Amino acid sequence: MVAPTLLYCVGATKAGTTWLYRYLHDHPDCAMPAVKEAHYWDTFDADRCEKQVAAYRLRLRDLRGAKQTAQNAGRGWQVDNLDRRINEMKALLDILEGDRSGDQGYENWLLGGRADAQIVADITPNYATLSDEELARMRDLSPTSKFIYLIRDPLDRLWSHIRMQARRQRQEHEQYEKKSNNILYRILNRDQEQHILARGDYPKIIRKLRRVIPEGRLLIQFAEDMFTTEGLARVCAFLGIAPVKPAIERAANEGPEVVMLDKLRPRALGLLNEHYEWVARNVGPLPQRWQDNLARA
């Protein structure tokens, strides 16, 4: 029996990774873990590991609460689903806190019980921030491993990431729209919260991925095209699976719409102009949404 292809989707943040997870989760040839973002490869640092373990323990508590609610309501199908998610989360926590010298525990967690699938995936956008050496270790875990990096219009991605940050950080007295624009202002004028920009630094990340991942095992995919018949067919051809109709037609986790201040938009586009031009030269023809924003720059 041929082992499943191990797929890593390494980002970009706010570029359709959740949609891709759901698509593969529902695909008959794929077997996805219940935890979308395993955060295995980016938590070898002790501090990062501690923070991620704490976040997972909070999520585990929420899952157990949801299971109790489902049990009380007699929703057996939901209890079974939550049991699976709880058990996979507990197993992942054991791996993150255990001996990780050989990566065997992670491999067993990801591939165990999924031998009949063609694709098994770990979709963790933060992996795009890893070093060449760390990416090479990921690559070498399986001789058939493949990597996908989704790229979305730079301004749209930046603004979506900022809004996500604002939702997470907002205090009760703060206005969501104002906080979002304040974050963008600090990025543009005070060089603060630069990690948001780093997650969408397409030239730097794509160069790194191309250095480490052999040709044929790396796909750079425009997020806007992924939702088209042709784009989805390209992703499926790369993975060696047949396209199926997606259950969700548009991207997930977009959050409430917030208007970017007119006075900030030109400066944000100017900051990202190099990314538009580099991708056009080094990846391929830009989708219409990219062309429209680039024209405004």
Side-chain angles (χ1 to χ4, degrees):
M1 183 177 293
V2 178
T5 294
L6 174 54
L7 169 66
Y8 300 111
C9 179
V10 298
T13 302
K14 307 306 294 180
T17 60
T18 297
W19 187 92
L20 180 61
Y21 170 82
R22 292 180 180 176
Y23 178 79
L24 296 177
H25 184 277
D26 295 338
H27 196 289
D29 294 331
C30 305
M32 304 296 287
V35 183
K36 176 206 167 199
E37 299 185 21
H39 284 288
Y40 177 81
W41 300 102
D42 60 338
T43 54
F44 281 87
D45 175 82
D47 289 339
R48 288 185 181 179
C49 185
E50 183 178 351
K51 291 177 182 178
Q52 190 60 51
V53 165
Y56 279 155
R57 292 202 182 283
L58 286 174
R59 193 181 305 177
L60 192 58
R61 184 191 64 187
D62 292 341
L63 289 172
R64 286 169 171 154
K67 176 185 173 182
Q68 186 61 56
T69 299
Q71 285 177 325
N72 294 341
R75 296 193 295 267
W77 63 270
Q78 192 174 17
V79 172
D80 292 342
N81 177 269
L82 287 164
D83 265 336
R84 174 181 172 238
R85 294 171 66 187
I86 288 168
N87 289 335
E88 288 204 23
M89 180 71 73
K90 288 167 60 180
L92 180 58
L93 279 166
D94 288 342
I95 291 162
L96 295 183
E97 295 182 295
D99 178 12
R100 299 166 66 176
S101 57
D103 307 319
Q104 190 63 53
Y106 166 78
E107 184 177 10
N108 292 340
W109 174 83
L110 192 59
L111 300 178
R114 307 185 227 272
D116 293 335
Q118 290 180 240
I119 300 291
V120 177
D122 177 356
I123 298 181
T124 305
N126 198 49
Y127 290 164
T129 67
L130 297 177
S131 67
D132 289 39
E133 292 75 20
E134 290 163 329
L135 287 168
R137 183 171 172 177
M138 293 171 61
R139 176 200 66 201
D140 294 342
L141 183 64
S142 168
T144 62
S145 62
K146 293 187 175 183
F147 289 70
I148 288 180
Y149 184 57
L150 301 177
I151 55 174
R152 179 185 179 186
D153 172 81
L155 185 65
D156 289 345
R157 192 218 69 83
L158 173 66
W159 188 232
S160 183
H161 196 163
I162 285 171
R163 285 155 44 208
M164 177 180 72
Q165 193 85 345
R167 288 197 304 275
R168 291 177 174 178
Q169 296 178 350
R170 186 174 69 88
Q171 304 297 314
E172 288 187 6
H173 66 280
E174 292 180 307
Q175 295 180 350
Y176 174 41
E177 184 169 348
K178 183 176 181 180
K179 188 171 186 66
S180 298
N181 279 286
N182 283 344
I183 292 174
L184 179 56
Y185 177 87
R186 293 197 299 270
I187 290 173
L188 296 173
N189 295 282
R190 299 179 182 173
D191 289 330
Q192 295 178 355
E193 293 165 284
Q194 292 299 298
H195 68 281
I196 296 177
L197 284 176
R199 294 293 191 90
D201 189 342
Y202 300 150
K204 179 180 179 180
I205 293 169
I206 293 172
R207 287 191 193 104
K208 175 175 60 177
L209 291 171
R210 286 175 171 171
R211 280 197 305 269
V212 177
I213 313 304
E215 186 176 356
R217 291 170 62 182
L218 171 66
L219 175 65
I220 309 298
Q221 173 66 43
F222 289 106
E224 293 82 359
D225 290 346
M226 186 171 60
F227 308 118
T228 68
T229 300
E230 296 78 10
L232 189 56
R234 181 172 182 246
V235 172
C236 291
F238 171 72
L239 296 176
I241 58 177
V244 299
K245 182 177 175 58
I248 302 172
E249 296 291 345
R250 60 185 179 84
N253 293 342
E254 268 304 289
E257 186 55 52
V258 173
V259 177
M260 183 186 300
L261 293 178
D262 289 340
K263 65 181 180 181
L264 298 179
R265 182 179 296 272
R267 292 194 58 203
L269 279 168
L271 182 66
L272 298 168
N273 185 62
E274 178 186 353
H275 293 186
Y276 285 96
E277 295 184 349
W278 188 92
V279 170
R281 293 193 308 269
N282 295 279
V283 178
L286 301 180
Q288 190 61 50
R289 177 66 179 179
W290 291 57
Q291 295 181 44
D292 292 345
N293 273 336
L294 179 58
R296 296 188 182 100

